[in-house]
Amino acid sequence: MATPHINAELGDFAPAVLMPGDPKRAARMTELLMPDARLVSDVRGILGFTGEVNGKPLSIMASGMGQPSLSIYVNELFMHYDVKRIIRVGTAGGLSPKVKVGDVIIANGAHYEGVMNTYLTPNTHFSAVASYELVRAAADAAGEDDTVVVGPIVSRDRFYGVDPADNDALARVGCLGAEMEAGALYGLAAQYDRQALAVLTVSDHITVPGQDMTAEERENKFQKALELAVAAAHC
């Protein structure tokens, strides 16, 4: 039962899916967690794998960049493949002085400046929040690790041209970082009555320049976030 963007059959995906943006990162995560996993989808180079971690089924599939791309795959996974929970494992730019490059954000909510969620509650501003059970599982797995921070982020539909004053305002109200996918993911999880979470490695700092990770580091430095995401996937 292939969909327009996923060429897997019903039953090929586990109930829990880890979702990085980058297909190369999806392949790398699969190699680390479940080297015997099988490829279940590869439409347009967006790779999906299914295997087992500690005897429990798990899938990993890329989303591409941005809310519209992610929304295509999340809609199809929830609608057609009976996926129950999706955990985004990605990167974010730091906004708050509470986080530094290399830290991990467990995003309990996502301010969203775009329009992807506006149809959900037409007369009310929808609050895009993570599933509490998944937040709790990831936070419990982190323990006392002070490089892991729980808090809100902002999800954007644009990468360039953001007013620095907007970043400063968000940081003042406790927003930890900025990325481009979680807001739509949380909205879709609410729509389908499923579970969602984003666990994000801070790859650069927007308000403290000069701390960027390289492209290679962005692809490979996600081990802590991956551990927390697996804990949430199997809670």
Side-chain angles (χ1 to χ4, degrees):
M1 185 202 65
T3 67
H5 306 96
I6 301 174
N7 57 352
E9 297 298 321
L10 186 63
D12 279 346
F13 283 97
V17 176
L18 305 189
M19 184 166 275
D22 184 356
K24 287 186 176 180
R25 192 176 298 152
R28 178 65 175 152
M29 288 177 178
T30 302
E31 290 171 6
L32 287 172
L33 286 177
M34 40 188 194
D36 295 330
R38 59 194 178 94
L39 179 70
V40 297
S41 185
D42 60 358
V43 177
R44 300 188 181 210
I46 297 295
L47 306 178
F49 304 89
T50 295
E52 289 188 350
V53 176
N54 299 324
K56 296 180 179 181
L58 184 69
S59 294
I60 299 175
M61 183 175 179
S63 70
M65 287 192 292
Q67 328 263 352
S69 178
L70 173 137
S71 294
I72 287 173
Y73 299 106
V74 170
N75 266 294
E76 293 181 11
L77 289 172
F78 283 157
M79 281 194 299
H80 300 295
Y81 292 98
D82 202 28
V83 168
K84 304 299 185 186
R85 54 180 60 168
I86 295 176
I87 298 96
R88 166 164 154 70
V89 188
T91 57
L95 286 177
S96 169
K98 294 179 181 178
V99 296
K100 61 184 183 299
V101 172
D103 285 355
V104 174
I105 298 170
I106 300 171
N108 61 4
H111 307 296
Y112 185 26
E113 65 180 24
V115 299
M116 297 292 293
N117 291 335
T118 55
Y119 68 94
L120 293 174
T121 54
N123 298 313
T124 304
H125 290 293
F126 175 80
S127 293
V129 296
S131 302
Y132 173 73
E133 183 182 3
L134 304 191
V135 173
R136 182 179 63 185
D140 286 349
E144 300 301 318
D145 189 339
D146 62 5
T147 68
V148 179
V149 186
V150 180
I153 58 168
V154 59
S155 295
R156 290 175 163 147
D157 287 339
R158 53 183 174 157
F159 185 84
Y160 297 107
V162 177
D163 187 341
D166 189 40
N167 290 330
D168 292 340
L170 285 162
R172 283 196 300 272
V173 297
C175 184
L176 299 178
E179 53 87 81
M180 301 182 69
E181 288 83 19
L185 172 61
Y186 292 178
L188 287 167
Q191 178 183 345
Y192 288 101
D193 193 23
R194 305 297 169 87
Q195 294 182 305
L197 177 66
V199 184
L200 308 166
T201 302
V202 179
S203 58
D204 59 281
H205 211 291
I206 296 169
T207 57
V208 184
Q211 299 186 36
D212 296 10
M213 286 185 180
T214 65
E216 183 179 1
E217 287 173 329
R218 287 170 187 254
E219 183 180 334
N220 292 293
K221 287 195 172 182
F222 50 75
Q223 187 61 43
K224 173 59 69 175
L226 187 57
E227 292 172 4
L228 302 183
V230 170
H234 287 155
C235 67

